[in-house]
Amino acid sequence: MLSPFPSQFPQQFFTPAVKSHLETMLTLYTDMAQRTLETLQSLGELNLQLGRDLIAEFGANCQRVMAARDASQLGGAVGAQLMPGAAALQTYQRGLADLLGRSGSSMAQTATTHLPAVRRTAGAVAEEFVNQASEQTARATENLSRYHAASPLRH
C-alpha cells in the first residue's frame, strides 16, 4: 500500500536556509515552552500556597470555635466561618495578577529576542524559493521554446 506521504523529504528541500530557519524556529518554540512551563510551575506553587492558607485558616477558625468560653466568643468564631478564606483569596488574587503580568512580560521579551532572527531566516528562505522558482520558470520557458521550434504543427 502506498503512503500518501513520502518516506522522506527530497534532499533539495532542506537547503541551508531552510535548515537555519527550522533551527531558529525550534529555538523560539523551545524558549516559549520553557517560559510556559515556568509560569505553570509558579501557578502550581501559588495554588498550593492558597490551599495551605485555607487549611490553616480553617484550622484556626475551628480552634476558636472549640475554645469559645461564652456566647460572644462563639459568635465571633462562627462569624469568622461565614467568610472563610477571604484574606487567603485576596493574597491569591494579587499573586495571580503578578504571576500573569510577569508571564506576559517574559513571553513578550522572549518573542522580541527571537523575532529578528526568525524574520531574517524566513526572508532568506523566501528569497531562496523565489530564486528557485525563477530558475525553474526560465528552464520551463526554454524547454517550451525548443518544443515549439521542433514541432511540425507550427502556425
Side-chain angles (χ1 to χ4, degrees):
M1 182 167 116
L2 292 175
S3 170
F5 302 105
S7 60
Q8 62 184 8
F9 287 105
Q11 194 60 30
Q12 66 189 17
F13 180 75
F14 288 110
T15 64
V18 170
K19 287 179 184 177
S20 176
H21 184 62
L22 290 174
E23 289 171 358
T24 302
M25 291 300 294
L26 184 61
T27 301
L28 169 65
Y29 291 144
T30 301
D31 285 354
M32 293 297 269
Q34 182 66 35
R35 300 294 95 58
T36 301
L37 290 174
E38 290 168 358
T39 298
L40 289 173
Q41 181 180 4
S42 296
L43 181 60
E45 292 169 0
L46 189 62
N47 288 338
L48 285 172
Q49 187 59 49
L50 173 63
R52 287 184 194 115
D53 291 347
L54 289 174
I55 289 170
E57 186 176 334
F58 179 74
N61 287 342
C62 286
Q63 284 180 347
R64 275 189 293 233
V65 168
M66 295 173 136
R69 297 195 188 280
D70 58 23
S72 66
Q73 284 182 342
L74 182 60
V78 170
Q81 296 275 359
L82 295 177
M83 287 256 316
L89 287 174
Q90 286 177 348
T91 301
Y92 178 79
Q93 287 174 336
R94 282 191 302 273
L96 186 59
D98 181 52
L99 170 65
L100 293 176
R102 282 191 325 247
S103 174
S105 176
S106 176
M107 291 284 200
Q109 179 61 40
T110 299
T112 300
T113 300
H114 289 283
L115 284 181
V118 169
R119 191 176 303 117
R120 180 181 39 79
T121 59
V125 169
E127 184 177 320
E128 189 172 273
F129 285 165
V130 166
N131 290 340
Q132 287 176 358
S134 295
E135 290 171 8
Q136 290 175 0
T137 300
R139 279 196 302 267
T141 303
E142 183 181 314
N143 289 339
L144 189 59
S145 295
R146 274 190 264 147
Y147 174 74
H148 280 301
S151 174
L153 299 176
R154 288 183 292 172
H155 294 286

